[in-house]
Amino acid sequence: VAEGREQWSSQYGFLLAAIGSAVGLGNIWRFPGVAYENGGGAFLVPYLVALLTAGIPILLLDYSLGHRYRGSAPAAFRRLGRRFEALGWFQVAVAFVIATYYTVILAWSVRYVGFSVTEAWGEDPAGFFTGDFLQDAGATVTGDVVGGIFWPMVGLWVVALVVMLLGVRRGLEAVNKVAMPLLVVLFGALVVRALFLPGALSGLDAFFTPNWSALLDGSVWLAAYGQIFFSLSIAFGIMLTYASYLPRRSNLAPTGLVAAFANSSFELLAGIGVFATLGFMAVAQGVGFEELPGLTGPILSFVTFPEIISSMPGGPLFGVLFFLSLTLAGFTSLISILQVPSAALQEKFALSRRAATLVVVGGAAVLSVALYSTTSGLAVLDTVDYYVNNFGVVISALLMALLVTYGARKLPELNAHLNAFSTVRIGLWWRVLIAVVAPVLLALMVATAFVDRLSEPYSGYPWTFITIAGWGTLALIAVVAVVLSLVRWRRPVDDLIP
Ligand code: PHE
Ligand code: NA
């Protein structure tokens, strides 16, 4: 290696970056809605079970692979066994695809910081979002670029490029050291404000009132596992890559536990903040929660919140806090996804950081602008997101657990590694979860999603559209993974290991 392997300046720097990656759009806009739809307060039970039985164990697996094999996903899996390199590239490709659309949502957030001040959405935030703003043409593919999305996307890609060029320590770590404390302050202020809104308590009531019968519903459990996977950023190379930049002498398991705990705390905080705010709206309009326009995903953030902002004293400031939080949380996640392909190219093709960054960020930028800054962006984004998360990430986690356990038979070795570099002992329970529990659950998740998607097109989109945008994307990811794994290493992979 020309430059020598990069490293975090300290374990604390790594921890902050790991939390920065985990805390993202998923915490703020995904968790509250998922929890509400899946039993409210009772959802916390499957959520905790999912965290303990799959989230934390796989997070530790990511850490141990990255730290032991000191490499990007392809390098680490290659060290596990020649045939396993393709899984590394699969994770790289998944990360790359996610990066291309994650930026779009960030671009919306940036725009909505400004819109909050001017209340640009006027009387009809729903019509404004899909109409004036996105100019959504539905499930067709068009080449009509929407300037209001194009330019913020370009801006974000330029900033991301600069950060990635600066590298692990001066780029990624430095950004997280500023952004994460700032995020806590901004979002903390938002939650406090929300709790003092009239009606806040009724919102919390709606959020936390447990519907215990939900626990008997299998889909609720699957939703909990899905949320945990997405939320912790596990099984698509991010934590593996980040852990590979840890100093040799590190305390792995406690660091992982702190990161996971911080992520879940932030998620809970977001649930409280969001539902307190929704409570205000429900009371102000004298309606029940079921009648609110939408509690999930883009609708929650870009339609419901604008509506609330318009009707609240001090709304513009509240809006700025909310969308700035979304932007900060999302940006620190974006740079973590970009590091996955960047590290992989640096290692496999003996590229400098600068060259790899230009290829990855440049490529992702062009693709993302081409695909998503047009009037067909929303449907494509929605479909790709669903397929990549419900199939790509879950299949990757499943393969990872199986390959490590039964293919390479390295689970005991990795367990020993964790224990050699942790002040807490990771025992047999960890191996049982990775070898048996996680694979069973993950297989169940894939199977369920598969059956669902064969019986009914996702979100009612036309079959041709789904086939191309959904299955097509997955197929492309798989092909790219296999092809790249067959290419010769430009430098011996074993050089990576000190
Ligand atoms: N963990 C992030 C969140 O909760 C999601 C994420 C997805 C992060 C992809 C990085 C990459 O929003
Ligand atoms: Na998260």
Side-chain angles (χ1 to χ4, degrees):
V1 196
E3 303 167 10
R5 191 165 179 78
E6 296 186 84
Q7 251 187 29
W8 305 107
S9 66
S10 65
Q11 192 171 261
Y12 167 73
F14 163 76
L15 177 62
L16 212 58
I19 296 174
S21 171
V23 173
L25 304 176
N27 300 57
I28 298 178
W29 85 1
R30 201 169 182 276
F31 174 79
V34 171
Y36 179 71
E37 281 176 356
N38 290 285
F43 182 72
L44 296 179
V45 175
Y47 176 84
L48 272 177
V49 172
L51 179 69
L52 296 175
T53 60
I56 290 175
I58 295 184
L59 182 69
L60 293 179
L61 182 60
D62 265 345
Y63 277 24
S64 65
L65 286 167
H67 189 254
R68 180 160 184 76
Y69 299 126
R70 291 244 160 262
S72 60
F77 286 111
R78 167 84 174 207
R79 284 242 54 210
L80 218 49
R82 230 166 205 287
R83 296 163 296 146
F84 306 146
E85 186 186 329
L87 177 58
W89 288 108
F90 186 81
Q91 299 193 343
V92 166
V94 165
F96 183 84
V97 169
I98 294 180
T100 60
Y101 70 78
Y102 212 70
T103 317
V104 185
I105 305 164
L106 270 174
W108 301 347
S109 307
V110 171
R111 285 305 301 278
Y112 269 69
V113 173
F115 291 165
S116 298
V117 178
T118 58
E119 298 194 7
W121 44 72
E123 294 293 298
D124 177 21
F128 176 82
F129 179 57
T130 49
D132 299 14
F133 179 53
L134 296 181
Q135 300 172 31
D136 182 30
T140 56
V141 175
T142 76
D144 306 333
V145 170
V146 182
I149 301 166
F150 177 85
W151 289 111
M153 281 183 75
V154 171
L156 280 162
W157 279 115
V158 171
V159 180
L161 181 68
V162 172
V163 173
M164 302 306 292
L165 282 174
L166 286 170
V168 167
R169 200 181 294 194
R170 288 196 304 139
L172 298 158
E173 187 175 327
V175 165
N176 277 293
K177 279 190 168 152
V178 176
M180 292 314 287
L182 190 59
L183 173 63
V184 170
V185 171
L186 293 181
F187 203 73
L190 178 130
V191 173
V192 170
R193 169 72 185 111
L195 285 174
F196 283 101
L197 288 168
L201 289 183
S202 71
L204 295 187
D205 237 25
F207 184 49
F208 285 116
T209 303
N211 166 13
W212 294 108
S213 66
L215 294 185
L216 300 174
D217 182 347
S219 70
V220 168
W221 288 84
L222 291 181
Y225 280 88
Q227 174 62 25
I228 285 292
F229 272 80
F230 183 79
S231 190
L232 283 177
S233 315
I234 47 182
F236 43 114
I238 298 185
M239 284 305 137
L240 190 160
T241 306
Y242 265 21
S244 77
Y245 301 119
L246 269 167
R248 189 80 186 146
R249 289 179 51 95
S250 297
N251 197 352
L252 295 177
T255 309
L257 294 178
V258 171
F261 179 74
N263 179 59
S264 290
S265 308
F266 200 95
E267 220 142 53
L268 214 56
L269 190 71
I272 290 171
V274 165
F275 271 83
T277 312
L278 292 171
F280 161 75
M281 183 182 191
V283 166
Q285 300 188 350
V287 299
F289 265 80
E290 320 73 54
E291 293 161 67
L292 294 180
L295 301 176
T296 49
I299 303 302
L300 171 69
S301 298
F302 296 101
V303 174
T304 309
F305 260 67
E307 236 169 76
I308 297 172
I309 290 162
S310 295
S311 63
M312 177 196 288
L317 176 61
F318 193 82
V320 169
L321 287 178
F322 181 75
F323 289 110
L324 218 48
S325 297
L326 213 52
T327 307
L328 287 174
F331 190 77
T332 49
S333 298
L334 174 68
I335 54 182
S336 74
I337 328 177
L338 289 170
Q339 188 64 24
V340 175
S342 171
L345 292 191
Q346 286 176 48
E347 286 164 9
K348 177 126 184 175
F349 298 103
L351 295 180
S352 65
R353 177 174 73 224
R354 177 190 300 209
T357 302
L358 286 174
V359 171
V360 168
V361 181
V366 169
L367 208 70
S368 108
V369 169
L371 283 172
Y372 301 113
S373 73
T374 66
T375 54
S376 55
L378 186 57
V380 180
L381 187 152
D382 187 27
T383 307
V384 172
D385 177 58
Y386 175 86
Y387 276 80
V388 164
N389 278 299
N390 288 275
F391 295 103
V393 175
V394 181
I395 290 173
S396 162
L398 176 60
L399 290 177
M400 189 159 93
L402 293 178
L403 290 191
V404 168
T405 314
Y406 306 103
R409 299 171 183 259
K410 285 280 169 53
L411 204 51
E413 188 181 313
L414 289 169
N415 193 345
H417 184 87
L418 276 177
N419 283 332
F421 292 94
S422 301
T423 50
V424 300
R425 238 190 91 73
I426 301 299
L428 180 65
W429 59 269
W430 182 70
R431 273 175 282 157
V432 173
L433 289 173
I434 297 287
V436 185
V437 179
V440 170
L441 290 166
L442 290 163
L444 212 65
M445 283 173 75
V446 181
T448 313
F450 201 68
V451 170
D452 283 354
R453 290 297 60 94
L454 290 187
S455 57
E456 213 186 313
Y458 171 64
S459 197
Y461 293 131
W463 281 112
T464 359
F465 178 80
I466 290 285
T467 309
I468 297 170
W471 297 119
T473 303
L474 288 176
L476 202 63
I477 289 175
V479 169
V480 166
V482 171
V483 169
L484 282 170
S485 74
L486 296 174
V487 174
R488 209 168 53 82
W489 283 73
R490 297 297 302 279
R491 84 171 124 84
V493 64
D494 286 338
D495 282 9
L496 299 167
I497 318 300

